[in-house]
Structures are given as C-alpha cells and as structure tokens.
Amino acid sequence: MTELNRVGAWNLACGKLPIIKDIAPTSYWQALANQQERLQEELDELNEAIMNCQTLEESCKGDAVTLQLKGVPFDTTNVRSVREHWNDEVLDAQVDLDVVLQGFTYLSGHDHTGAFNAVMENNDLKYVNNLPDAQYACEQIGATTHSVVTGNLGNTPTYSVHRNSDDKITKLPNHPKVCLKKFAN
C-alpha cells in the first residue's frame, strides 16, 4: 500500500472524503486551507527541532543550553538524552509532514502521481552528463554564487549547478516550465 493510499484509507476511516471542487468550491478551498495550516504547524515543529539540534551541536556536552518548545525558551543541559530527544523530534516532524502532505494530496483530488512524475522529469533537466556544459551554465547563472557539483546516476557522472548559500540545485539557463494543467482537479 502506498503512502497516499494508506493516508487516504485513514481519512476514510475518520469520515473525511475528498470534496469535489466544482460541486462545493467553498468547502473545497476551506479544506485545503485547513490542511495548509496543518502543514505550516508541522513545518514550524520541524524548524524548531532542527534549530534545537543545531544549538546542541554547537555547544559542548554538559553545557547549559537554551532551547525552544513551541516558541517558548527553556533551559536544559546538553546531555545525550536531550540530543536524542530532539533528533527524534526531527524524525517525528518529518513523518508528520509527509502524512499531512499526503492528506492534502488526498483531499485535493489532483492527479498527484502524474504531476509528481512530470515535475521529476522536468527536474531531470537540472543536471547534465557533460562537465563543460555544467561549467558554462554555472558561469551564466553566476560563478561567484554558484558551483558545479558532481553526482552519479547508474555509474555515470552527472553535473548540476548548486547555489552556494544553501546548496539548492538550480535550474539551468533556458529551463522549461513544467505544465501541470492536465493533472489538476
């Protein structure tokens, strides 16, 4: 059973059905807005857990540290059990985000699988098999703020351009926009 099928079955068991946009547009958009709020809540929890892990990583073991819990600072000690707890919270938020996103997908009624595959095919255009092409693209995008990174696909080297500040894989020059219209509800 896929994640989407599992979350769909769970929603059905809880009495939640996808709303048909054309029949009840107000309810449809409200359901998606509610789900978006749940996504933001989980993103906030993930952000807090990562920030707490970073704070613990940057301090010495045994030191007093100030962490956040639902936006409220609290003092604790950098000990193994605290580090393990916040590492577990990262995983918990990660999984909760996936569940809530799959719930959004279920409620939206869009052809998520088709759209996902179209986006991934478009993303495949963000890497090339030729290093000089990647270097040229990096120069076009901005060699002072971007770098070429070597990857691997089936023992074949691949090259992509990453933004230095956050390691985001960037679109190469003349990257086409993906069209998702045929997958929309």
Side-chain angles (χ1 to χ4, degrees):
M1 180 179 280
T2 68
E3 291 173 351
L4 179 57
N5 290 340
R6 176 72 173 90
V7 170
W10 180 82
N11 274 275
L12 286 172
C14 294
K16 288 189 100 170
L17 300 170
I19 299 165
I20 300 171
K21 179 174 67 172
D22 295 337
I23 294 174
T26 302
S27 297
Y28 176 81
W29 294 116
Q30 187 59 55
L32 295 188
N34 291 344
Q35 206 65 13
Q36 183 275 326
E37 288 179 18
R38 293 177 187 107
L39 282 165
Q40 187 61 57
E41 181 180 327
E42 298 303 337
L43 276 172
D44 292 344
E45 289 178 13
L46 178 60
N47 182 56
E48 184 173 78
I50 290 171
M51 288 176 40
N52 285 342
C53 287
Q54 288 175 320
T55 297
L56 290 162
E57 186 69 30
E58 293 167 359
S59 68
C60 295
K61 293 177 183 167
D63 282 357
V65 292
T66 301
L67 303 178
Q68 299 277 325
L69 182 60
K70 301 206 182 285
V72 177
F74 72 96
D75 295 326
T76 188
T77 305
N78 186 347
V79 294
R80 181 178 180 172
S81 61
V82 172
R83 292 189 304 277
E84 287 175 351
H85 168 79
W86 286 104
N87 187 56
D88 291 351
E89 288 298 314
V90 169
L91 177 59
D92 178 70
Q94 170 190 327
V95 172
D96 286 350
L97 260 171
D98 191 28
V99 169
V100 174
L101 180 58
Q102 294 298 332
F104 186 98
T105 299
Y106 164 79
L107 292 171
S108 76
H110 296 305
D111 175 3
H112 182 81
T113 301
F116 180 88
N117 289 330
V119 167
M120 288 309 299
E121 287 170 12
N122 186 268
N123 279 347
D124 287 343
L125 302 174
K126 292 180 182 178
Y127 65 84
V128 295
N129 295 320
N130 183 302
L131 179 58
D133 288 346
Q135 291 169 327
Y136 178 76
C138 187
E139 289 172 17
Q140 297 297 307
I141 294 167
T144 60
T145 56
H146 293 75
S147 300
V148 173
V149 174
T150 303
N152 189 308
L153 185 63
N155 294 324
T156 302
T158 55
Y159 307 95
S160 54
V161 178
H162 295 225
R163 188 168 53 206
N164 294 338
S165 63
D166 61 359
D167 198 32
K168 181 182 187 223
I169 302 163
T170 61
K171 295 176 181 174
L172 301 178
N174 302 314
H175 187 92
K177 182 163 176 56
V178 64
C179 180
L180 302 177
K181 187 173 186 165
K182 66 183 178 183
F183 306 109
N185 174 359

